[in-house]
Amino acid sequence: MRTAVALGLVAVACLVAVAQAGNFLQDTEMSWGDGRGKVVEGGRGLDLTLDKGSGSGFQSKSEYLFGKIDMQIKLVPGNSAGTVTTFYLSSQGSAHDEIDFEFLGNETGEPYTLHTNVFAQGQGKREQQFRLWFDPTKAFHTYSIVWNPQHVIFAVDGTPIRDFKNHEARGVSFPKTQPMRLYASLWNADDWATQGGRVKTDWTKAPFVASFRSFNADACVMSGGAQRCPAGTMEATGAGTSSSWWNQELSDMSYRRMRWVQRKFMIYNYCTDPKRVAEGTVPAECKLR
């Protein structure tokens, strides 16, 4: 089943081009962990470690205001229950913006949960969760965020899984004014991460390691209050289209592929949460087409 699905996805035209590898020594810095995170392969990779004492994390040296961010990740193998590996963009403050990939570990033989969320002006609770169609611990896979003034697109190996659209005209907040930094971490969350907190972290399997490679930020960098974008980012290529991520949206084929992934692999959608529907707390964007 997984092999057939994987082959089907490979056959689809990629949403995101293969990223050129950045350098973790030049582009990122360790933010916490007391030495548990280590740059490897001369800057081409970075490994985060979690033990009973602490997890670890890193962040980008730059802040971005729109861009396409790619990261290859190989998740904690074996019994990863209780662990959470993250890759996300975030600003600071109580009214912050945030775009999340989180990978919730599980018992040996049970699948990871890919958790996505979007915060705008401090308001989140826009979770969508997925199973993956491959084993994310066996090899590196590319996780991408396309963030432009009209869309936040989440993609896995070039296949879109979620598109959060700008509906500000309909009263829905959208992250577009606050520069965000890239963050990644590996930490213990066994009070909630695996089967609602029922399965705890097995510390006899520590240290746990998640590996990151090929960080690429094709993005507008904020520096000294000014936005500096790569050459050609906002140049149209005719007929109102653009070859860059700045105006990127889903093609008909990409949209169909995303909907197929959502039908097959989505396990939670905030827009259809029965409790929120019953309480009348479903966000406004869920009612828009």
Side-chain angles (χ1 to χ4, degrees):
M1 172 61 179
R2 284 193 173 186
T3 302
V5 171
L7 289 174
L9 292 173
V10 168
V12 176
C14 284
L15 169 74
V16 181
V18 176
Q20 295 182 348
N23 187 291
F24 285 88
L25 283 172
Q26 296 174 0
D27 302 328
T28 71
E29 56 192 3
M30 296 305 305
S31 50
W32 63 286
D34 295 326
R36 289 176 176 84
K38 296 187 182 300
V39 175
V40 298
E41 299 177 5
R44 293 189 298 273
L46 195 155
D47 292 344
L48 293 179
T49 299
L50 164 67
D51 57 35
K52 200 167 186 179
S54 177
S56 51
F58 67 90
Q59 65 185 44
S60 63
K61 293 180 179 178
S62 297
E63 288 185 307
Y64 311 107
L65 187 60
F66 305 124
K68 180 170 73 72
I69 312 295
D70 302 306
M71 185 76 75
Q72 291 189 351
I73 307 173
K74 183 164 66 172
L75 298 176
V76 174
N79 187 354
S80 59
T83 71
V84 175
T85 304
T86 70
F87 159 55
Y88 63 102
L89 295 169
S90 183
S91 60
Q92 300 297 311
S94 59
H96 74 292
D97 294 342
E98 189 171 324
I99 302 169
D100 292 339
F101 273 110
E102 295 185 347
F103 305 88
L104 314 184
N106 213 332
E107 298 174 287
T108 301
E110 296 298 320
Y112 266 83
T113 295
L114 169 55
H115 177 101
T116 67
N117 202 356
V118 177
F119 286 74
Q121 298 297 313
Q123 299 297 314
K125 297 184 179 180
R126 295 183 170 104
E127 301 93 344
Q128 289 183 351
Q129 294 183 339
F130 304 81
R131 300 296 190 205
L132 292 165
W133 49 90
F134 52 83
D135 184 341
T137 73
K138 297 297 186 184
F140 286 94
H141 292 268
T142 302
Y143 304 91
S144 305
I145 296 168
V146 175
W147 171 37
N148 64 38
Q150 297 301 320
H151 296 267
V152 173
I153 300 171
F154 296 78
V156 177
D157 287 337
T159 296
I161 64 170
R162 179 176 185 180
D163 181 9
F164 183 79
K165 298 180 180 180
N166 185 339
H167 287 299
E168 283 186 309
R170 309 288 290 274
V172 179
S173 297
F174 185 85
K176 72 172 193 179
T177 61
Q178 300 185 59
M180 294 196 275
R181 202 177 296 273
L182 166 76
Y183 297 89
S185 61
L186 173 60
W187 54 290
N188 177 51
D190 66 3
D191 57 332
W192 64 270
T194 304
Q195 301 177 34
R198 184 182 66 82
V199 182
K200 304 299 183 182
T201 304
D202 182 358
W203 293 111
T204 66
K205 301 295 192 295
F208 304 99
V209 178
S211 298
F212 297 77
R213 301 290 186 273
S214 300
F215 166 45
N216 186 70
D218 182 7
C220 296
V221 175
M222 294 299 293
S223 180
Q227 185 183 44
R228 178 169 48 85
C229 298
T233 295
M234 304 178 197
E235 292 179 3
T237 58
T241 63
S242 170
S243 59
S244 85
W245 49 262
W246 182 264
N247 291 319
Q248 186 170 331
E249 58 185 20
L250 297 184
S251 66
D252 288 344
M253 178 180 290
S254 294
Y255 176 78
R256 290 195 297 270
R257 181 52 48 175
M258 179 186 73
R259 293 296 297 142
W260 183 85
V261 169
Q262 291 175 347
R263 288 193 300 270
K264 292 285 188 180
F265 299 104
M266 182 185 288
I267 59 173
Y268 176 81
N269 182 359
Y270 72 109
C271 285
T272 57
D273 184 315
K275 182 178 180 182
R276 299 184 74 171
V277 171
E279 293 173 347
T281 58
V282 175
E285 67 268 18
C286 297
K287 305 169 187 176
L288 302 176
R289 290 189 179 275

